[in-house]
Amino acid sequence: GAGVSQSPRYKVAKRGQDVALRCDPISGHVSLFWYQQALGQGPEFLTYFQNEAQLDKSGLPSDRFFAERPEGSVSTLKIQRTQQEDSAVYLCASSSFPGAPYEQYFGPGTRLTVT
Amino acid sequence: KQEVTQIPAALSVPEGENLVLNCSFTDSAIYNLQWFRQDPGKGLTSLLLIQSSQREQTSGRLNASLDKSSGRSTLYIAASQPGDSATYLCAALIYNQGGKLIFGQGTELSVKP
């Protein structure tokens, strides 16, 4: 594709609801990353996929967060029983890593607001 | 643990000025360093990527340098314009941690006409 796309762009959830955020990476990119960006902060790593394998989920803040990439392309980040502290922008990035040059390309993000 | 710091947190300059944004990192074992621009409510746009074997990269009015030994990178913007107003983020890629990026908190730049 032309770039990384994410949907929805905005999501408002009531506390306790489950949400699913979608990421479509650049076609052919092996690696896919999810980051969380709180207001006024830099993005923080959540999890990383190489093809369909989730190789690093060390940044997921709790067991309410779950990510998958079943066919090695589209990825979904799911948050169960949302809490107010989950309010943030969720960014997805894709890259040719482990193939050079490792540059990451970001989508527009999904802004999640938990009320 | 790699930590990335950006100074200053915010910067306001008149149009036409040359300016430098600073980024420091604690672990010199980075593979590359990437500079991004983020406009309000938008995603990240990649500006420049410097490989660890390089010392600088240039794109138009932007020049980024990397000094691994001192743990510093700078982004130089020449002849600033109001359209340059945005938040600038630097991020270090840690190769042996799956290629994830460690970000600084960003510098919010405002260029006044």
Side-chain angles (χ1 to χ4, degrees):
Chain A
V4 180
S5 61
Q6 293 185 245
S7 61
R9 291 292 314 280
Y10 304 92
K11 177 69 178 178
V12 178
K14 291 187 189 301
R15 183 168 168 268
Q17 283 185 333
D18 297 349
V19 298
L21 312 180
R22 177 188 168 104
C23 172
D24 282 85
I26 292 173
S27 178
H29 273 184
V30 169
S31 291
L32 186 146
F33 303 82
W34 284 98
Y35 295 87
Q36 180 190 59
Q37 186 176 25
L39 190 64
Q41 304 294 315
E44 293 195 355
F45 170 80
L46 292 177
T47 187
Y48 156 61
F49 290 87
Q50 192 173 116
N51 295 306
E52 69 277 7
Q54 189 175 20
L55 298 186
D56 187 348
K57 54 182 181 180
S58 62
L60 296 176
S62 79
D63 58 7
R64 296 186 295 103
F65 286 70
F66 172 76
E68 59 183 6
R69 193 186 185 199
E71 297 178 357
S73 178
V74 170
S75 177
T76 303
L77 176 66
K78 298 179 179 178
I79 309 174
Q80 298 176 326
R81 304 180 304 280
T82 52
Q83 304 293 317
Q84 283 194 319
E85 61 263 29
D86 300 335
S87 296
V89 175
Y90 291 84
L91 295 164
C92 174
S94 71
S95 146
S96 58
F97 188 92
Y102 316 135
E103 187 168 4
Q104 290 192 19
Y105 298 88
F106 281 77
T110 294
R111 181 176 298 276
L112 172 65
T113 303
V114 181
T115 61
Chain B
K1 180 184 172 187
Q2 177 72 269
E3 292 184 3
V4 179
T5 305
Q6 291 186 250
I7 296 173
L11 182 63
S12 181
V13 301
E15 182 177 3
E17 273 205 6
N18 301 325
L19 57 99
V20 174
L21 306 181
N22 295 294
C23 172
S24 61
F25 45 93
T26 55
D27 187 347
S28 62
I30 66 170
Y31 190 83
N32 66 35
L33 192 129
Q34 200 166 351
W35 282 93
F36 295 89
R37 168 184 174 139
Q38 186 172 35
D39 292 283
K42 307 288 187 182
L44 277 62
T45 300
S46 180
L47 298 173
L48 290 165
L49 181 147
I50 314 175
Q51 305 281 7
S52 61
S53 58
Q54 299 173 320
R55 292 195 61 90
E56 65 178 62
Q57 280 286 331
T58 298
S59 175
R61 295 182 294 108
L62 305 180
N63 176 277
S65 67
L66 176 64
D67 183 344
K68 284 183 61 178
S69 62
S70 66
R72 293 181 60 190
S73 177
T74 61
L75 179 67
Y76 175 84
I77 302 177
S80 58
Q81 303 170 359
D84 294 331
S85 298
T87 295
Y88 291 80
L89 294 150
C90 68
L93 186 146
I94 315 299
Y95 186 87
N96 62 1
Q97 293 185 31
K100 68 183 178 187
L101 294 176
I102 309 298
F103 282 86
Q105 293 195 329
T107 295
E108 185 176 359
L109 173 65
S110 175
V111 181
K112 305 294 187 184

